[in-house]
Amino acid sequence: MAKLFGTDGARGVANTELTCEIAFKLGQAAVAYLGTSIVMGRDTRLSGDMLSSALAAGITSAGGTVLDAGIIPTPAVAFLARELHANGGVVISASHNPPEYNGIKFFDAQGFKLPVALEAQFEQYVAEGGLEVSQRAAGDAVGVVLPVEDAAELYIQHAVQAMERQGVRFDSWKIALDCAHGASSVSSAEALRRLGAQVTVINDDFCGTDINVECGSTHLAPLKQLVAEMGADIGIAHDGDADRVLFVDAQGNEIDGDMVEAACAIDLANRGKLAGNTAVSTVMCNLGFVHAMRDAGIQVLQTAVGDRHVLEAMREGGFVIGGEQSGHTIFLEHNSTGDGLMTACQFVAVCERNGKTAADAASVMRRFPQELVNVRVADKEALAGNIAIAAAIASAEEELGDAGRVLVRPSGTEPLIRVMVEAAEDAEAARHAKAIAAVVESELA
């Protein structure tokens, strides 16, 4: 069997790569390793019914109880695992990927993603075939599926109450919202309206085959058009499972995750709430983020790429904010994973509290031009220790100094070396990236 778990759960094309048989066995594994009470949610994909049925069958066949939250954002499942005192949670979603894909991602009782070692145990359990028929629950020991009728309402209340505790309302805000035909359709608009905002929504309907298609956080053009048409103060775009969010200001300019984290980290520091005076990001964050934090007297801890690594660093250091450029931002005081609705509320709250427009709030960070070149190679592991490539990187770094950055790393999933250069000017970033990529190609292709 091919490796089941990737950087964020098990994913694949539904019913061919990610099958009902796999889902059934993963359900049994959840009972074996997490416990007998599992919150289950899903996004709007057509295959969600099929896979959630198989997953629920696996859980109940092992004697577990499914607390079925239905269609709901991924961060809501993490929240509900804690709120309902369950042993764990599971969400059926492929996040920002196209509709034909789906995924299965687990959370522990505190709503945290499972450690790699535990995912490996799940994978081994599936590879070994799951429970034998003779080992499965029988008679009155078989589990049941219990619908959580107020699942979305509990999540909405959680976001609204977080703002009420800060004494912030959005009565003066005109908000354009793109739900990407996804799970945020059940929650984000209602939460923002309860906080007083005037909200106009697009792509909050769904048919199962339109999630993320030319909309949402991966395709901001429809949101930009809506912002212009209605004269919105801000545009908010989720991905399909709403663990991410990107923004558009009133002029149609994109506000990415780095800019949001910068604004929110500075606001936390100003209010004396930035634990350790540190913001966590990854090595792929824009150099402008690092400079903005330095200028504000805030330390930056950079991790390997992936929100899992960001969260691990936050928990180890006791830090309260971390994120990625893609819009996956974690406010650990409020949730245990990236939460698009909570992030949207926190960013608008920063603007409201400080009397700023979205553009003003984002302007605390100047985004450096970034050039990324992918080089296909025969052996990506040969990057380590290659003297010629190391010399090319060192030469670029010396020339760029503090006004630029070089990151050369192997892809985690493909036979590629990714060459990323940031510099004060586009042309300079492109020149250095192409020069290093040429050396990589001559040495490793």
Side-chain angles (χ1 to χ4, degrees):
M1 185 181 74
K3 181 172 171 56
L4 185 57
F5 285 91
T7 56
D8 198 17
R11 285 190 190 171
V13 176
N15 215 30
T16 56
E17 297 173 339
L18 184 62
T19 64
C20 293
E21 290 80 4
I22 290 173
F24 179 77
K25 293 169 188 174
L26 283 173
Q28 293 180 335
V31 175
Y33 293 109
L34 297 178
T36 57
S37 176
I38 308 294
V39 176
M40 182 179 73
R42 62 189 182 277
D43 68 18
T44 59
R45 293 164 202 275
L46 195 64
S47 58
D49 285 344
M50 175 187 72
L51 290 172
S52 62
S53 297
L55 189 66
I59 292 169
T60 54
S61 76
T65 297
V66 177
L67 302 175
D68 188 4
I71 292 174
I72 201 163
T74 287
V77 174
F79 164 72
L80 289 168
R82 298 189 302 278
E83 184 75 5
L84 301 179
H85 305 286
N87 297 122
V90 59
V91 61
I92 299 102
S93 172
S95 190
H96 59 284
N97 291 121
E100 64 270 23
Y101 286 82
N102 218 323
I104 299 174
K105 177 165 55 182
F106 291 94
F107 297 99
D108 66 17
Q110 298 304 309
F112 292 111
K113 291 179 182 178
L114 304 188
V116 173
L118 184 52
E119 284 188 340
Q121 290 181 278
F122 272 63
E123 194 160 315
Q124 183 64 28
Y125 188 99
V126 171
E128 292 175 355
L131 286 174
E132 297 286 345
V133 173
S134 61
Q135 298 174 312
R136 297 175 188 174
D140 60 5
V142 171
V144 295
V145 178
L146 303 176
V148 183
E149 302 288 358
D150 59 347
E153 175 60 23
L154 290 170
Y155 177 60
I156 290 167
Q157 289 179 13
H158 171 63
V160 171
Q161 288 167 4
M163 294 299 98
E164 290 175 343
R165 287 192 295 270
Q166 293 182 23
V168 176
R169 286 189 57 81
F170 302 156
D171 298 277
S172 64
W173 285 80
K174 291 176 65 177
I175 296 176
L177 174 66
D178 186 345
C179 292
H181 301 296
S184 65
S185 302
V186 306
S187 53
S188 286
E190 178 62 21
L192 294 167
R193 286 174 178 144
R194 287 190 195 179
L195 288 165
Q198 177 186 330
V199 184
T200 301
V201 194
I202 55 173
N203 302 321
D204 58 337
D205 59 334
F206 46 86
C207 64
T209 59
D210 53 1
I211 186 170
N212 296 321
V213 177
E214 296 187 353
C215 60
S217 62
T218 57
H219 191 79
L220 292 173
L223 181 64
K224 291 180 179 180
Q225 181 178 345
L226 178 61
V227 166
E229 288 176 353
M230 65 177 282
D233 300 303
I234 192 170
I236 297 172
H238 291 298
D239 63 339
D241 70 333
D243 62 348
R244 303 183 188 193
V245 63
L246 292 179
F247 301 87
V248 172
D249 68 22
Q251 291 73 45
N253 301 306
E254 179 182 339
I255 300 173
D256 67 19
D258 287 342
M259 302 166 90
V260 170
E261 184 178 0
C264 291
I266 291 172
D267 178 72
L268 285 165
N270 290 341
R271 293 187 290 132
K273 294 181 176 294
L274 186 63
N277 195 42
T278 297
V280 182
S281 190
T282 76
V283 293
M284 287 299 287
C285 72
N286 191 273
L287 183 61
F289 175 78
V290 178
H291 281 213
M293 294 297 92
R294 180 196 63 193
D295 294 344
I298 296 171
Q299 299 177 50
V300 176
L301 176 59
Q302 291 178 271
T303 73
V305 175
D307 66 287
R308 177 197 301 275
H309 302 294
V310 171
L311 180 59
E312 286 175 357
M314 292 175 69
R315 295 180 72 185
E316 288 173 5
F319 307 128
V320 295
I321 188 169
E324 296 184 283
Q325 192 177 89
S326 61
H328 201 132
T329 309
I330 303 169
F331 291 87
L332 206 47
E333 178 187 353
H334 302 289
N335 210 343
S336 50
T337 191
D339 187 331
L341 173 57
M342 184 62 70
T343 301
C345 289
Q346 294 291 346
F347 183 65
V348 176
V350 168
C351 298
E352 176 66 20
R353 186 163 36 241
N354 295 283
K356 294 183 175 182
T357 65
D360 290 339
S363 69
V364 298
M365 175 189 144
R366 171 182 171 255
R367 183 161 42 191
F368 276 55
Q370 187 178 86
E371 184 77 15
L372 178 64
V373 180
N374 292 317
V375 183
R376 187 165 295 275
V377 297
D379 180 12
K380 63 184 179 182
E381 303 305 325
L383 173 66
N386 186 286
I387 296 173
I389 297 172
I393 294 170
S395 176
E397 289 177 333
E398 182 178 3
E399 186 174 338
L400 288 167
D402 189 45
R405 184 167 68 107
V406 178
L407 179 65
V408 180
R409 65 182 184 91
S411 165
T413 57
E414 301 176 85
L416 300 173
I417 299 296
R418 305 195 190 280
V419 179
M420 188 275 287
V421 177
E422 290 170 336
E425 303 294 337
D426 287 297
E428 190 176 18
R431 176 170 63 85
H432 286 295
K434 290 174 183 176
I436 295 170
V439 177
V440 171
E441 186 172 16
S442 66
E443 292 288 313
L444 303 183

